[in-house]
Amino acid sequence: MNPSRSKLSQSTCGTTSPRRQFFTQSALGLGGIALASMLQQDRVSAAGFASPDGQPHFPAKAKNVIWLFMRGGVSHMESFDPKPALNQFAGMSIPETPFAEVQHSEKLKRVRVVVVNDANGQQRNKLYPLQVGYKKYGQSGIEVSDWFPHIGSRIDDISVIRSMWTTDDNHGAQVQFHSGRHMLDPRVPTIGAWINYGLGTLNDNLPQFISMGPRFFDRRDGHYLGPAYDSVGLKVDPKNPLDYARAEKEVSDREQRLGFDLVSQLNRLNESRFPHDAALEARTKSYELAFRMQTAVPDVIRFDGETAETHKLYGLDQPETRDFGQQLLAARRFTEQGVRFIQIMHGDGAAGAWDQHSNLKNMHSKLAGQVDRPIAGLLTDLKQRGMLDETLVVFATEFGRTPGSQGSDGRDHHPYGFSVWMAGGGLKGGVVHGATDEIGFHAVEQPHYVTDVHATILHQLGLNSHRMEVPGHKRLEQDFGNVIHDIIS
């Protein structure tokens, strides 16, 4: 790894210096955020990883990613993978049906249990009927749940992947979907961190990796890449979008400028003593970037200039869709400004709101109602602006839910087979890839571990996942994933 990069990362996590304390007290703690962006420009060709200017390995089809993650576990059977056999055999135990082989011990070996005999994460044998109907949408005729009619209306722009699998049967699978590693393994960088590390900035005034909404258990992204590659958490609040972006007391632009100038003078004094200190040079530049971010970020999340039609498209006119719709509209605006990776989490609570061990019908329909219209609005807006071709939108969740019932009206966690979808960024639309068996238990056709999604995203961004490795941190083969070529146009 580049020695200067290593020193820079260390400088963000050491003891608080008088200079840093000065900036924190002056509400200029944005310097740490800005430093992350500056570090992206400090490129070296390490182990064939990236060229000095952060260019991709080969021509890219996409420039940006909007990553939508539903926390808790969306039922694949009641969203994008209909299973009428569940209605036909409802109330029967799996061993009593023609599908008894799905529980053969050899087919269940992949799961690594974190808590033995946990009350959750069980298979649940009594088949539970579908709690919602389906319709065919678009020219492709792909079936989508009645809980997602607006997304269904955009199905001809979407590649549905019905054959995902993972190895964690509890909510550590949220970490696994983002990093590729099980909760029992050491923490490693997430897909957003790798993209943040691998590609240069498109806008010097904004962070390159943004996160909105409730985070999963692990609130870090960079890990051994360093804190510079963690996401920058944002709120859709123009008055206070960033932590440490406002002073405790009123500070004018002139006063802030004087503060920056003072620190720049102090840094220049040190430069004369340490003329080859790359960390000092980058840190000085980072403070300048922090100053620009204080204006640039709030400007992006002001929606005054958007039309009433756009507000309605994202559901900003309805209370149930307003919050999520604002985040997606902000995502489109950040994408326009060149932010590489925008991560939006939906579903609050420790496990995530989509975790319906009971009351699945009422809760899933409510949650789908919060996201369906805004997501369809995002796809529509991107396409009509000519942005969908270069923006890759991902709809994901940590696992599916069991074909069998938990209690009288819920479904348990299900890692053996579930669905995600991707749209834009050079991918095919109106296609279904892979399949689960007749009751949605196992991914049986073209199964994909979670890092296959990562590899596909990286490929569309012009990056070879097998070259995404830094010295001193050997990665497993599963970390790299395999590109899902069948969905690439």
Side-chain angles (χ1 to χ4, degrees):
M1 184 179 294
N2 182 7
S4 64
R5 175 177 291 164
S6 178
K7 288 167 66 179
L8 284 166
S9 297
Q10 291 168 10
S11 73
T12 66
C13 56
T15 57
T16 302
S17 66
R19 189 164 21 180
R20 175 175 295 175
Q21 187 175 17
F22 169 84
F23 271 100
T24 301
Q25 291 173 347
S26 303
L28 304 182
L30 274 174
I33 296 171
L35 183 57
S37 291
M38 292 306 306
L39 283 164
Q40 294 174 63
Q41 300 173 44
D42 179 28
R43 298 286 168 201
V44 292
S45 182
F49 175 70
S51 62
D53 56 359
Q55 292 299 310
H57 301 134
F58 46 83
K61 293 184 177 180
K63 289 182 179 178
N64 318 83
V65 179
I66 299 176
W67 174 278
L68 311 175
F69 194 78
M70 309 296 112
R71 297 181 63 250
V74 177
S75 172
H76 52 298
M77 300 157 294
E78 276 118 352
S79 56
F80 303 103
D81 188 12
K83 295 298 174 185
L86 294 181
N87 294 335
Q88 182 181 353
F89 297 96
M92 297 178 63
S93 68
I94 292 176
E96 295 172 335
T97 71
F99 318 113
E101 78 282 354
V102 300
Q103 292 183 318
H104 191 282
S105 59
E106 284 297 310
K107 294 186 175 183
L108 305 176
K109 291 196 305 185
R110 282 176 169 167
V111 170
R112 298 170 62 192
V113 177
V114 176
V115 181
V116 178
N117 296 324
D118 194 340
N120 298 317
Q122 307 297 318
Q123 293 175 37
R124 311 297 174 182
N125 285 328
K126 187 177 179 181
L127 291 182
Y128 190 44
L130 295 177
Q131 299 300 294
V132 65
Y134 276 82
K135 291 185 180 65
K136 292 183 177 181
Y137 287 89
Q139 294 183 348
S140 57
I142 296 172
E143 290 182 305
V144 177
S145 157
D146 291 343
W147 286 337
F148 297 94
H150 293 92
I151 294 176
S153 72
R154 306 304 315 176
I155 200 66
D156 286 339
D157 295 317
I158 291 172
S159 293
V160 181
I161 306 167
R162 289 178 173 169
S163 53
M164 299 302 303
W165 63 273
T166 188
T167 66
D168 197 328
D169 64 356
N170 219 319
H171 295 290
Q174 294 176 26
V175 176
Q176 188 170 22
F177 202 102
H178 289 79
S179 70
R181 290 292 188 92
H182 195 278
M183 278 284 284
L184 296 175
D185 295 335
R187 296 290 177 271
V188 298
T190 66
I191 178 61
W194 279 118
I195 291 170
N196 186 28
Y197 189 97
L199 293 171
T201 181
L202 293 172
N203 187 326
D204 287 332
N205 295 333
L206 292 170
Q208 290 305 292
F209 179 12
I210 288 173
S211 183
M212 291 184 277
R215 282 297 299 262
F216 46 87
F217 299 112
D218 188 355
R219 296 179 180 274
R220 300 285 302 281
D221 295 285
H223 293 290
Y224 62 70
L225 292 178
Y229 299 96
D230 289 343
S231 62
V232 174
L234 294 183
K235 301 180 291 292
V236 183
D237 178 1
K239 295 181 179 179
N240 189 28
L242 285 161
D243 291 334
Y244 311 115
R246 295 179 64 190
E248 293 181 8
K249 300 179 181 179
E250 285 296 323
V251 179
S252 68
D253 288 348
R254 181 176 179 275
E255 289 172 316
Q256 285 189 325
R257 182 74 262 174
L258 288 171
F260 278 117
D261 289 345
L262 173 59
V263 173
S264 294
Q265 291 177 36
L266 294 172
N267 283 335
R268 281 195 294 272
L269 288 174
N270 272 329
E271 284 175 7
S272 64
R273 296 176 58 197
F274 308 102
H276 303 296
D277 188 345
L280 178 60
E281 181 183 357
R283 188 162 58 244
T284 301
K285 292 179 180 178
S286 79
Y287 292 141
E288 293 292 334
L289 176 55
F291 186 74
R292 297 196 299 271
M293 277 189 186
Q294 287 182 306
T295 301
V297 171
D299 282 350
V300 175
I301 56 177
R302 287 192 181 96
F303 304 147
D304 301 5
E306 299 289 345
T307 66
E309 182 181 10
T310 298
H311 281 239
K312 186 175 181 180
L313 185 65
Y314 283 86
L316 271 58
D317 60 332
Q318 299 295 326
E320 64 271 18
T321 52
R322 183 177 299 120
D323 288 348
F324 196 66
Q326 287 178 332
Q327 291 177 332
L328 297 198
L329 179 52
R332 189 219 83 204
R333 290 170 63 85
F334 277 116
T335 299
E336 284 180 309
Q337 297 300 315
V339 175
R340 287 283 189 191
F341 195 94
I342 303 163
Q343 174 175 276
I344 303 177
M345 305 284 187
H346 179 269
D348 213 343
W354 291 87
D355 191 30
Q356 264 71 78
H357 296 280
S358 61
N359 200 22
L360 182 137
K361 184 174 183 178
N362 289 335
M363 286 302 298
H364 257 48
S365 61
K366 176 183 176 181
L367 295 166
Q370 294 173 5
V371 305
D372 176 48
R373 183 175 164 193
I375 292 173
L378 173 67
L379 295 177
T380 300
D381 200 16
L382 290 172
K383 189 166 185 176
Q384 67 188 14
R385 292 171 184 270
M387 296 172 61
L388 190 59
D389 289 343
E390 293 186 334
T391 304
L392 210 165
V393 180
V394 181
F395 178 98
T397 189
E398 67 250 45
F399 41 52
R401 306 211 74 84
T402 52
S405 63
Q406 181 173 6
S408 61
D409 59 358
R411 297 189 188 275
D412 208 339
H413 312 156
H414 195 74
Y416 301 101
F418 62 104
S419 298
V420 303
W421 59 256
M422 305 168 74
L427 300 183
K428 295 176 181 176
V431 298
V432 171
H433 176 82
T436 52
D437 55 47
E438 290 183 80
I439 59 172
F441 201 105
H442 291 287
V444 293
E445 293 180 15
Q446 298 169 308
H448 292 286
Y449 180 63
V450 295
T451 51
D452 292 356
V453 172
H454 300 179
T456 305
I457 294 171
L458 293 170
H459 181 272
Q460 296 307 96
L461 292 169
L463 296 171
N464 181 343
S465 63
H466 279 79
R467 293 172 64 182
M468 306 291 276
E469 194 170 56
V470 297
H473 295 280
K474 186 66 179 175
R475 302 180 74 191
L476 304 177
E477 185 61 30
Q478 73 172 24
D479 296 339
F480 301 117
N482 297 292
V483 177
I484 308 174
H485 289 285
D486 285 353
I487 67 172
I488 296 175
S489 59

